[in-house]
Amino acid sequence: RIHFESAQHAVAAMADDKAGLVLVKLQPEGKLMFPSTLYAKAEVSLKITNISSSYVAFKVKTTALKNYLVKPCAGGIRAGDTATVQITMLPRTSAPDASQVDRFLVQATPSKSAESLAKEEWATKDKKDVHEARLTVGFRDVTDQEKKEAEEAQRQRTVPTPLAETSLSDLKSKYQEMTSYIASLERQKKDIEDDMQKLAEQGRNSTGKASGFSLVQVILAFLLGAIASYLAIAT
């Protein structure tokens, strides 16, 4: 069962205890508080502690998949251990809508190991053995450091830096150079194939069979040498 320590959840916790063993404890409980910043990601750690005497499997769901990254979103916990789930809110471009509150759901169930349960294994669990805790998303005032980070994130988002522009130009130049070089290699490869074909025919006419290195070996040797020389020039 999900264990609540705060007074506001005491009645629910007592009801849970009557039905079965307590399994895990959440920290924080009830609400995930994110800084109310714009244009910068925000992170909150959710700790899930196994307070039972056996293995417990868990998974974390959200009503707003596009707004958050949850790592890990599922797992297993040994008795007495704690799993830390990192919940990242992706950068927002507008203030939160008070009428639309994002929610998270933590599910826990007894397990035989510290490994995650597959989707099919969760599906076989009886509802009475899958215990749930819900958390809502809230917002708090930002610290000075968080405000600076958000302002920097917004500046980088709206004003490209000279370094970024230069890097893009360099990449385009390198790409064009590589494309031209590959085209040149392809032409040389075709010429070599033609020459080798002629030599092979001449060899068969004179000795009845081809001798020396194979066509594939010669072409491969040439390509390796050409690529090595290009890399030496480029660096």
Side-chain angles (χ1 to χ4, degrees):
R1 295 290 181 177
I2 302 299
H3 178 69
F4 301 98
E5 293 185 334
S6 58
Q8 61 184 356
H9 296 301
V11 175
M14 291 174 63
D16 284 345
D17 289 342
K18 292 180 180 179
L21 294 175
V22 176
L23 295 180
V24 298
K25 178 178 66 177
L26 303 183
Q27 181 62 37
E29 298 175 346
K31 203 161 195 175
L32 298 172
M33 300 298 293
F34 290 88
S36 55
T37 55
L38 298 179
Y39 309 111
K41 68 180 182 180
E43 296 183 347
V44 168
S45 294
L46 172 65
K47 295 185 180 297
I48 306 175
T49 301
N50 179 359
I51 58 174
S52 75
S53 59
S54 61
Y55 293 105
V56 166
F58 73 89
K59 61 180 177 179
V60 182
K61 300 179 178 180
T62 179
T63 58
L65 290 173
K66 295 182 179 179
N67 296 342
Y68 302 92
L69 296 176
V70 181
K71 294 182 180 181
C73 61
I77 313 174
R78 293 181 175 86
D81 286 355
T82 297
T84 299
V85 178
Q86 199 69 27
I87 301 176
T88 302
M89 175 183 285
L90 300 179
R92 297 180 298 114
T93 58
S94 60
D97 186 348
S99 65
Q100 296 181 351
V101 179
D102 295 338
R103 293 178 172 81
F104 283 82
L105 173 67
V106 179
Q107 295 179 307
T109 189
S111 180
K112 296 180 180 179
S113 71
E115 300 297 325
S116 300
L117 292 184
K119 182 179 180 181
E120 294 75 16
E121 292 176 294
W122 278 100
T124 62
K125 293 288 183 178
D126 194 301
K127 288 185 178 180
K128 66 181 179 63
D129 294 324
V130 178
H131 312 300
E132 302 178 339
R134 290 171 172 80
L135 303 99
T136 58
V137 171
F139 294 91
R140 59 172 175 78
D141 293 337
V142 299
T143 63
D144 291 340
Q145 180 62 30
E146 289 170 340
K147 185 176 181 180
K148 291 179 181 179
E149 292 174 354
E151 290 173 348
E152 178 63 18
Q154 183 177 9
R155 188 187 69 80
Q156 293 181 358
R157 177 176 176 270
T158 56
V159 181
T161 63
L163 178 59
E165 294 175 344
T166 301
S167 298
L168 180 59
S169 175
D170 289 344
L171 286 174
K172 288 181 178 179
S173 176
K174 289 291 185 182
Y175 176 78
Q176 293 172 350
E177 182 180 353
M178 180 64 77
T179 301
S180 299
Y181 190 76
I182 291 174
S184 174
L185 286 178
E186 288 291 342
R187 289 193 297 268
Q188 294 180 47
K189 174 176 173 290
K190 183 63 170 60
D191 293 340
I192 291 175
E193 288 177 342
D194 292 340
D195 291 342
M196 290 301 299
Q197 184 64 31
K198 292 177 182 179
L199 290 174
E201 291 175 356
Q202 293 174 1
R204 282 194 295 270
N205 292 335
S206 61
T207 65
K209 62 179 181 179
S211 61
F213 294 103
S214 67
L215 173 62
V216 173
Q217 290 174 316
V218 174
I219 294 174
L220 180 59
F222 170 79
L223 290 177
L224 290 175
I227 292 173
S229 63
Y230 172 79
L231 292 177
I233 295 173
T235 56

